[in-house]
Amino acid sequence: MSRFLIFSLWLATCLIVYASDPSPLQDFCVADANSPVLVNGLVCKDPKLVKADDFLFRGLNLMGNTTNDVGSNVTAVNVAQLPGLNTLGISMVRIDFAPMGINAPHTHPRATEIFTVIEGRFLVGFVTSNLENRLISKVLEVGDVFVFPEGLIHFQQNIGHGNAVAIAALSSQNPGAITIANAVFGSNPDIPGDILAKAFQVDINLVNKIQSKF
């Protein structure tokens, strides 16, 4: 076997190793939200001080308030609400929808999402990356499961006549969420209007009007 081939195999192995998240090195690492130490994630609480409540979240049975402009409400259960999730690479949300309510186009920069319909009927979809920008969408019924790949823009809409509920799991303790409209038109400070006007191929007055809503 040539030295070049051996080196190529070694390099490929290294890339595979470094592309994966590291496994936890202890049974658990309950987040210590009061620690002043800044790390990529959250510092572990002293294991001797850990209690059962650190692994418990209550309230996912409660309906969220959907009286808002988009007609939906997300109840998150990530490391901020459940410290025991720290380093475990998983979290979840409950999403409540009013009739015709939407979870507006958004992306999770650090997580894949798997979406399960508990009640109602949904139109869901995601858009592939440039240059294809292909919409992949489906109508979901109770019991259906749909996956949104990490980082891709996706949405959900309740297309039923009553309220709807879904539960979603995400492959990060802190998946993050970037709602596209809020980020583009509601940034602080504003993205200059002429940039958005050229990007969206619209009049700058329309951009200013939309920005005023955020």
Side-chain angles (χ1 to χ4, degrees), residues 174-201:
N174 182 27
I178 302 170
T179 304
I180 307 307
N182 298 55
V184 172
F185 294 104
S187 66
N188 184 21
D190 288 342
I191 297 174
D194 60 322
I195 293 176
L196 295 181
K198 183 170 287 188
F200 287 93
Q201 296 294 290

Side-chain angles (χ1 to χ4, degrees), residues 76-88:
V77 186
N78 57 44
V79 71
Q81 294 80 31
L82 186 54
L85 288 175
N86 194 38
T87 75
L88 298 183

Side-chain angles (χ1 to χ4, degrees), residues 21-189:
D21 289 337
S23 298
L25 300 179
Q26 60 270 331
D27 289 342
F28 50 78
C29 173
V30 171
D32 182 357
N34 297 317
S35 173
V37 179
L38 300 178
V39 297
N40 183 24
L42 293 168
V43 173
C44 303
K45 180 188 288 188
D46 184 340
K48 296 184 180 65
L49 302 178
V50 168
K51 300 178 181 179
D53 283 348
D54 291 320
F55 301 93
L56 173 68
F57 176 89
R58 286 195 168 107
L60 213 59
N61 60 311
L62 302 176
M63 180 179 178
N65 182 5
T66 60
T67 307
N68 52 56
D69 291 339
V70 294
S72 69
N73 183 281
V74 177
T75 302
V77 186
N78 57 44
V79 71
Q81 294 80 31
L82 186 54
L85 288 175
N86 194 38
T87 75
L88 298 183
I90 193 170
S91 60
M92 66 187 304
V93 296
R94 169 181 172 142
I95 317 174
D96 290 281
F97 296 81
M100 298 308 295
I102 65 168
N103 193 9
H106 63 283
T107 178
H108 301 292
R110 296 179 290 275
T112 292
E113 175 181 344
I114 187 164
F115 180 92
T116 304
V117 179
I118 304 301
E119 179 182 344
R121 191 166 183 260
F122 290 90
L123 173 66
V124 305
F126 64 87
V127 179
T128 62
S129 56
N130 298 351
L131 294 167
E132 187 180 37
N133 293 329
R134 181 161 66 102
L135 173 63
I136 297 176
S137 66
K138 194 73 175 174
V139 172
L140 305 182
E141 310 285 350
V142 172
D144 287 348
V145 177
F146 197 85
V147 66
F148 302 104
E150 180 175 339
L152 297 187
I153 295 171
H154 58 283
F155 64 89
Q156 299 106 21
Q157 181 184 31
N158 174 12
I159 57 174
H161 298 292
N163 293 328
V165 182
I167 295 289
L170 300 111
S171 62
S172 171
Q173 67 183 45
N174 182 27
I178 302 170
T179 304
I180 307 307
N182 298 55
V184 172
F185 294 104
S187 66
N188 184 21

